[in-house]
Amino acid sequence: MAILFSSILAGTILIVYLTLNVLDKSPGNEKTEKISRIIQRGAKSFLFQEYTIFFPIVFLLSLLFGFSSGWVNAISFIIGSSFSVLAGFFGMLIATKSNARTAWGATKGIGEALDIAFSGGAVMGLIVSVLGLAGLGIVYLLFGLQAVSYYSLGASFVALFARVGGGIYTKAADVGADIVGKVESNLPEDDPRNPAVIADNVGDNVGDVAGMGADLYESYVGSIFSAISLGYALFGASGITSTLYIISFGLISSILAIILVKVLSRLNTEPALALRSGTIASSVIFLAFSLSYAIMDKNMNLFWTVLVGNIVGVSIGLITEWYTSGKKVEKLAHSAAMGPANVIISGTALGMESTAVITILIAVGTLISHKLGGLYGIAMAGVGMLATLAMNLSVDAYGPIADNAGGVAQMAGLEKGVRDITDKLDALGNTTAAMGKGFAIGSAALTAIALFANFGSIAHIQQIQLQDPKMFIGALIGAMLTFFFSALAMNAVGDAANDMVEEIRRQIREMPGILAGATEPDYGSCIKIATKGALKRMVLPSVLAIASPIILMLGLGVQSVAGLLIGSTVTGVALAIFMANSGGAWDNAKKYVEEGHLGGKGSFAHKATVVGDTVGDPYKDTAGPALNILIKLMAITSIVFYSIVGRWIQ
Amino acid sequence: MAILFSSILAGTILIVYLTLNVLDKSPGNEKTEKISRIIQRGAKSFLFQEYTIFFPIVFLLSLLFGFSSGWVNAISFIIGSSFSVLAGFFGMLIATKSNARTAWGATKGIGEALDIAFSGGAVMGLIVSVLGLAGLGIVYLLFGLQAVSYYSLGASFVALFARVGGGIYTKAADVGADIVGKVESNLPEDDPRNPAVIADNVGDNVGDVAGMGADLYESYVGSIFSAISLGYALFGASGITSTLYIISFGLISSILAIILVKVLSRLNTEPALALRSGTIASSVIFLAFSLSYAIMDKNMNLFWTVLVGNIVGVSIGLITEWYTSGKKVEKLAHSAAMGPANVIISGTALGMESTAVITILIAVGTLISHKLGGLYGIAMAGVGMLATLAMNLSVDAYGPIADNAGGVAQMAGLEKGVRDITDKLDALGNTTAAMGKGFAIGSAALTAIALFANFGSIAHIQQIQLQDPKMFIGALIGAMLTFFFSALAMNAVGDAANDMVEEIRRQIREMPGILAGATEPDYGSCIKIATKGALKRMVLPSVLAIASPIILMLGLGVQSVAGLLIGSTVTGVALAIFMANSGGAWDNAKKYVEEGHLGGKGSFAHKATVVGDTVGDPYKDTAGPALNILIKLMAITSIVFYSIVGRWIQ
């Protein structure tokens, strides 16, 4: 455990250093500072209101767990929930401190801007890993293995709320701002005359930063939980030790890689090269550590499973990139010449087609890692994908900071060169993040399979009886739930966006000075409406995920729950890949046209690709990523709930 | 078996009578006759070319079956394929004979038009049932039960080709005609100046008539096959006898109901009332027969399972109607005020949401019918849904005839009152057909579950081992295949539509007289391009369905095939419901606007709903319905292929 402790400590020191480093920079002039402050206030206010909704639920659930299965479990659940909240909140806080500073840094050059934005992102990346491991260590050492399932449940529970709530907010604000601002009033992106412009920037922070942080905290914790519990079941304590070694190597490698990127950016290295070097370095160092450990421990299969996980993750990332850029996107953009319907049909088909190679990669990865290490091998392949999370998430979180910095620069009227730099950094983040997305999708599938096996062994289901249709019924319901859940999320975005549109129209109508630039719009009111809209609509989908395995277990027994997990996982994986890649391709097709192809901005083709992009927004940023959490949350809920009521049901 | 024979005989007599009845009517004036002849020629030419593609494959497969598992099986496979072809071809032939006659009949009044159109549809409805039962009887009596699986495979194989090929054709022609005709050249629907107008009408026949006929032939045969094989496994010969009684009652009830509709239409009853009376009568008579039989046979559970199937089928139909009409559609239409992107998002969410209630209905139906009669009960619930297929399909096939009649009337320049009558009949068909769709979706799910159980018992899989991830891998691949298959189908529509658009544009460009009405466009060339486009693109998706269970069985063994069937069924059911209902709702939202709401034709909202309708076309008429066939074809392929190679694999 010494290595776990040291890596957590090293991570903590780096977090403190990076935080001070960011705060040390100048937030710019009065205007940039003010805009940044409004964004920060809006984002914080959203999170605080979000907490008031789910804290009572967490509290009630922990009471329930306390009375039914012991207070150590209740406390573990609370630790899982609150560490997730903490990671999301602190990471977002630093991100909102970094936006104006990045914009101001860009006035000095791209190296400085990259340095600040990346530092802000790295705080998020590191804090998720550090808190994830620290919480796990505390719960495991104090309360033992069973309590870790409650810890993991807490993490997943918060993640679903944060992903869904943040996803609704960010897309409602984005869609609302686009419809009235760009389409109806012909305002450019991030124009300060648009009443929803700040809400849109707040959305980037609560959705793409805080929501994603909670999401990956959940993935990280879930994959480690499934690995240590399967490892323990198969190999005893040594199964746990080797998992913790591997995951610690991942954190240490990430720390080294983050330092590398910092050094390179200060040396004014080309940003693309700096980020890519960091990503590659983290993987290489991690694999080197793992290999040495496996050789010392005479357990080569452990290394091979980790390597398989890594290769599958990278391959999924490359396939994702292939489907959402280059020729595929050009072809999609060209379909715009025939109008928006063709963009939608072609983009839908593109996303659905992309499920093929990715699923086969996951299947092959599962098969090989199972051959190498049994069910524990599958779980370890998932851990192998996520071990260097701190580095990957740093890049992921750096994107929205650069994006926000661009918004601040635009609104504050900084010189055009600044916006060019932040745009470049933003675009770069999108490309490098594709690999991170591959890891997230792949690990979700592997972790869900491992959790399913876990549920099977806890509920003593060695086999599924084919003569009994309960499994099949559960599977039908599981598959349906992923569609129903997506429907709820998309409807929520649509309804919340409607509220936004009405508010923006009202402001423009009632305050004629806004469009002329004479009156400042009421940004706060837009932020409030987006917050209210998102929060009230995030509850039903989240509750659904928790309630359905419980209802099915009580109503139809464990065989149907096994079916539920099969159906939701396989359908959820396909649906999530489809939505992520259709959405990504539509986004980039629009950008391709905006670069001047097919008539460029304002052309018929451009309008058609804007329709695609708008449809893709809730796909890729609300429903899609939430599905990855949904399938794991249902599995963990099944595991925990069975441990409570299992003795009373068959 | 006497009752089976009598019902087949009665059905045959009625087919002959109805055919003579249709042919007896006047095909109208020179113009209507000529247009009808061109449509007929185009449709026939498509089918013949389709046959030249899949006959060689059928021939090769039957050689393979002959050598590997005996010539009786090969012959059964050929009977299944060719009876399906025969049903589709003959039904479509009469449908194309009915269109001009219906249009001409409408000049005499709505009763006469209904009489002719319904007679044409009823020929299709009856011939599918009669040939389905006759083929089954022949194969079973001559070759025994195992050969029936090959018979069923033949039916499913042809159905997938016919559905996919016809679906691509009809939508490519439709989309092509709409894009250039309506949008670019401002021509109304069915305008003879549109070069693709005849291809569009041909599409209705090859897709909505011949394709649907083959589809339902497959459903009918598949559900009976799964019931008699499970019935035999559980109860011996009496399990087969009772199935055949029930299915014969269904045919007899349909015959009586068809006669009732004929009588009512001649009495000039309100068409809606006439059709609805027929649908209800067929169900009531069928249930009464089944009840009497169950009482005599002292086997009340048989009746209850059939009743459950019927109730679930009707309920799915009602839910389908609820989601694709009335308030839901009005709300969808209102989202058009915010542009096409919102129409797509709302319609997608609507379709995904609709999976919830329908899946729960299927789940409850499965559970109850299993309680009543075990796996045989599930299969019988499916048979109960499809027993009155002849009547339901009559209504389904009558719709496109009325639609075609409208096209003929328009192109031939008949008075406006004629078009009003055919439009009314067409709209009516859409509503009544919703119930038929409910039966198709529900029975596909139940039959797939029953076939899965069938595969399990043939391959001696009593259980699925949870420690072995092969099942899960198979399930992931099965889920993915439904998405990939849909992508292929949608891309095929898009690409074939592109070819059409270019050809239409070319004609309009090169023959300036077309738009002025002075030169007749080259209809034949559009028909040829749609035919070529559809046929070359139908092969890959169809082959995929056959190849994947075989590859998986050889590569990973039967556990993975069990997973494949679970994954493809549960995901396919959800995806099919989603696509059918999103597509239906978009279609009706457009019609709602065209009725004059929200600004009516040509308004901003209208354009937005046209985008929705265009996206929905390949959803609801190509990919969606083909998925129902796909999941059963994979199951039957697994059953048949295991019977060939099972002795060599574990």
Side-chain angles (χ1 to χ4, degrees), chain A residues 58-380:
Chain A
V58 168
F59 181 70
L60 281 179
L61 282 176
S62 53
L63 280 187
L64 181 78
F65 295 147
F67 283 112
S68 63
S69 70
W71 293 100
V72 297
N73 291 330
I75 294 169
S76 307
F77 178 72
I78 292 176
I79 294 177
S81 316
S82 44
F83 273 33
S84 165
V85 163
L86 212 62
F89 182 76
F90 191 75
M92 196 199 69
L93 193 70
I94 301 306
T96 55
K97 295 272 180 206
S98 311
N99 50 18
R101 290 172 166 85
T102 301
W104 199 249
T107 59
K108 296 180 199 157
I110 193 163
E112 175 77 2
L114 171 67
D115 186 38
I116 300 171
F118 182 75
S119 296
V123 169
M124 175 56 108
L126 285 165
I127 203 164
V128 163
S129 292
V130 164
L131 281 180
L133 287 185
L136 190 95
I138 293 169
V139 168
Y140 174 62
L141 289 179
L142 292 183
F143 308 137
L145 191 57
Q146 207 219 343
V148 177
S149 62
Y150 286 82
Y151 172 69
S152 183
L153 180 67
S156 294
F157 184 70
V158 168
L160 195 67
F161 268 88
R163 232 334 164 186
V164 174
I168 298 171
Y169 185 107
T170 182
K171 289 306 131 183
D174 189 9
V175 170
D178 280 2
I179 287 181
V180 189
K182 285 198 208 167
V183 181
E184 296 181 6
S185 312
N186 270 317
L187 298 174
E189 176 93 28
D190 286 324
D191 191 289
R193 287 170 294 169
N194 190 333
V197 69
I198 303 252
D200 193 5
N201 280 285
V202 170
D204 293 343
N205 287 297
V206 301
D208 300 348
V209 180
M212 188 177 57
D215 180 351
L216 287 169
Y217 182 88
E218 186 269 351
S219 299
Y220 193 67
V221 169
S223 74
I224 303 173
F225 161 62
S226 74
I228 62 175
S229 55
L230 286 170
Y232 183 78
L234 293 168
F235 311 109
S238 81
I240 296 182
T241 314
S242 47
T243 311
L244 293 182
Y245 262 97
I246 296 293
I247 200 80
S248 306
F249 294 145
L251 179 51
I252 295 169
S253 320
S254 298
I255 290 170
L256 296 174
I258 288 169
I259 294 171
L260 175 70
V261 176
K262 290 278 291 176
V263 171
L264 289 176
S265 67
R266 293 206 180 164
L267 294 173
N268 260 316
T269 314
E270 173 63 25
L273 184 64
L275 289 181
R276 209 163 264 271
S277 306
T279 309
I280 294 170
S282 69
S283 270
V284 171
I285 300 171
F286 167 63
L287 289 174
F289 274 135
S290 303
L291 179 61
S292 330
Y293 175 74
I295 291 172
M296 285 195 323
D297 204 42
K298 297 196 176 65
N299 184 2
M300 278 308 289
N301 281 349
L302 183 71
F303 172 70
W304 297 125
T305 55
V306 167
L307 182 68
V308 165
N310 230 271
I311 292 174
V312 170
V314 171
S315 312
I316 296 176
L318 293 175
I319 297 289
T320 303
E321 218 178 313
W322 191 71
Y323 270 103
T324 56
S325 64
K327 273 194 191 153
K328 283 275 172 188
V329 162
E330 276 172 41
K331 204 188 156 202
L332 178 58
H334 279 274
S335 76
M338 306 220 316
N342 283 61
V343 174
I344 300 297
I345 294 177
S346 306
T348 303
L350 179 147
M352 290 187 164
E353 192 191 313
S354 75
T355 60
V357 190
I358 295 179
T359 305
I360 289 171
L361 279 171
I362 294 171
V364 171
T366 306
L367 209 60
I368 297 177
S369 56
H370 180 258
K371 277 250 185 284
L372 291 167
L375 293 173
Y376 177 65
I378 299 176
M380 279 313 289

Side-chain angles (χ1 to χ4, degrees), chain B residues 348-410:
Chain B
T348 303
L350 180 148
M352 289 186 163
E353 193 191 312
S354 75
T355 59
V357 189
I358 295 179
T359 305
I360 288 170
L361 279 171
I362 294 171
V364 171
T366 307
L367 209 60
I368 298 178
S369 56
H370 181 259
K371 278 251 185 283
L372 291 167
L375 293 172
Y376 177 65
I378 299 176
M380 280 312 290
V383 169
M385 282 188 197
L386 285 176
T388 55
L389 174 83
M391 176 61 208
N392 290 324
L393 181 52
S394 300
V395 179
D396 272 355
Y398 134 99
I401 294 176
D403 189 3
N404 245 261
V408 172
Q410 184 96 359

